[in-house]
Amino acid sequence: SNHFWAAPGIEPMPPAPVGEHFPWIISQLLRDRLVIFSRPDELPEEAQYDRQSLMASGIKSLLCLPLTIGGKFMGALTLSALRSHKAWDPGLAQELRPIGEIFANALIRGAAEKELRQGELKYRIVADFTYDWEYWQNPDGTWRYVSPACERISGHRPEEFLRRPGLLRDIIVPEDRDQWDH
């Protein structure tokens, strides 16, 4: 997904299929190469289509830093100037690299969390409709999930187990508790 921020008085660029408009720039980023120019006409001849797209979108200067983690391209951190041509400080890209790594790690973490939530949702759907009593118990003894079937088996609603972590042990008949504890 694309995320844009613009200074007051500047309209953020609308999301667009970036690869269609800037094929040369994308090819450079995929090779983990920085793209930096003060004027679009500084781009090489093979970037002619990119140059036209830049001029049409009003971009006068650009610094585009690839976001990569472990050699995997995650996106790009891009600074562009629309009002005037800007001579970018050559050291700026190095200063931005740690910020780019933070963004790339956030993208990876967000994707992993989304995948985890989707997996947990699938498990919960199955567990909610199973005839067996399913549960997830944390190492500290608290409950993370208790399926609705627990009420049919134990006579107690899932919320009771979530509220009282020791309830399962309490409902075990006294003569079996030592074996349960073992």
Side-chain angles (χ1 to χ4, degrees):
S1 67
N2 297 327
H3 304 279
F4 293 95
W5 177 87
I10 302 284
E11 276 297 311
M13 289 183 65
V18 177
E20 290 178 21
H21 298 289
F22 308 106
W24 181 84
I25 291 173
I26 294 297
S27 74
Q28 298 305 299
L29 295 171
L30 289 172
R31 292 184 187 112
D32 201 26
R33 295 181 183 158
L34 172 72
V35 176
I36 184 170
F37 59 84
S38 299
R39 305 173 99 60
D41 56 11
E42 293 174 4
L43 291 173
E45 185 60 37
E46 61 267 22
Q48 180 179 357
Y49 191 80
D50 299 65
R51 187 178 316 110
Q52 291 170 353
S53 296
L54 289 162
M55 291 166 66
S57 63
I59 296 175
K60 298 188 182 309
S61 301
L62 184 85
L63 184 150
C64 198
L65 178 72
L67 303 179
T68 56
I69 295 290
K72 182 179 178 188
F73 177 74
M74 302 299 299
L77 176 61
T78 304
L79 303 177
S80 57
L82 303 176
R83 292 185 178 153
S84 62
H85 297 283
K86 176 164 180 51
W88 301 99
D89 180 347
L92 182 59
Q94 284 304 95
E95 292 176 22
L96 290 175
R97 282 226 182 255
I99 294 170
E101 289 173 12
I102 291 168
F103 286 159
N105 279 314
L107 291 170
I108 288 173
R109 186 175 55 251
E113 288 172 357
K114 179 180 179 184
E115 188 176 317
L116 184 62
R117 281 191 307 274
Q118 288 174 338
E120 186 174 323
L121 177 63
K122 288 177 191 174
Y123 178 81
R124 281 183 184 258
I125 289 169
V126 171
D128 281 350
F129 293 99
T130 185
Y131 192 71
D132 297 329
W133 178 4
E134 305 289 338
Y135 64 85
W136 292 344
Q137 195 168 24
N138 296 317
D140 66 359
T142 59
W143 300 84
R144 179 175 177 149
Y145 170 80
V146 180
S147 71
C150 75
E151 186 172 6
R152 180 184 54 76
I153 296 168
S154 72
H156 295 275
R157 298 187 49 74
E159 301 80 44
E160 294 177 69
F161 287 95
L162 294 171
R163 202 172 36 252
R164 290 182 47 210
L167 179 58
L168 180 58
R169 186 179 186 283
D170 293 346
I171 64 174
I172 295 173
V173 293
E175 57 269 13
D176 290 341
R177 283 190 188 141
D178 287 340
Q179 187 175 3
W180 174 259
D181 291 340
H182 181 65

